[in-house]
Amino acid sequence: SSGINAEYGATSNCIYMAQCKLCGQGEENTYFGQTMQRFNSRLNGHRSHFNEMDYMKSALSVHAKEKHPDQFSMGLTMYRMAVIRECQPQSLNREEFRHTERFRTNCMGINRCRVER
């Protein structure tokens, strides 16, 4: 179970956050993302990288592997997940894009993990 409220799981076109429960609160322990997919579908994408071969493909699994190797098998359950806001259908407008990019580029948080694409 993702621990996500069912109404959020079906939300698409949104900005979301994942905060590491093991590290505690703080911007440095928080990942910010955006998706046009259903939120549950995006979480499944993150979830699929919690294995030894693919962990470098998601900032969330990289953080878990590097900071909490003994708890890596917890997967997404080590994160507090939330939809921050819904966005305009099909794309982020300028205001929404600036809101997301402020966190994604200026924070020293989990978004700074190096991932392989």
Side-chain angles (χ1 to χ4, degrees), residues 48-112:
S48 71
H49 299 300
F50 275 85
N51 65 65
E52 293 297 321
M53 291 182 54
D54 290 335
Y55 82 91
M56 289 297 296
K57 294 182 179 178
S58 167
L60 299 180
S61 53
V62 168
H63 172 82
K65 185 74 169 171
E66 292 178 355
K67 302 290 184 182
H68 312 292
D70 294 338
Q71 288 86 20
F72 182 72
S73 63
M74 289 176 64
L76 285 184
T77 62
M78 72 173 57
Y79 292 97
R80 183 175 297 110
M81 310 291 288
V83 170
I84 297 173
R85 64 187 289 190
E86 293 181 46
C87 303
Q88 298 298 319
Q90 304 306 314
S91 65
L92 297 173
N93 67 33
R94 276 197 178 124
E95 177 189 338
E96 292 161 343
F97 183 77
R98 278 194 296 261
H99 177 78
T100 303
E101 288 303 302
R102 179 172 78 84
F103 290 109
R104 295 186 78 168
T105 60
N106 296 333
C107 78
M108 294 307 293
I110 296 173
N111 293 74
R112 294 288 186 203

Side-chain angles (χ1 to χ4, degrees), residues 33-44:
Q34 65 190 51
T35 186
M36 291 174 60
Q37 302 176 53
R38 286 183 39 232
F39 185 50
N40 274 344
S41 297
R42 183 64 197 106
L43 290 182
N44 286 336

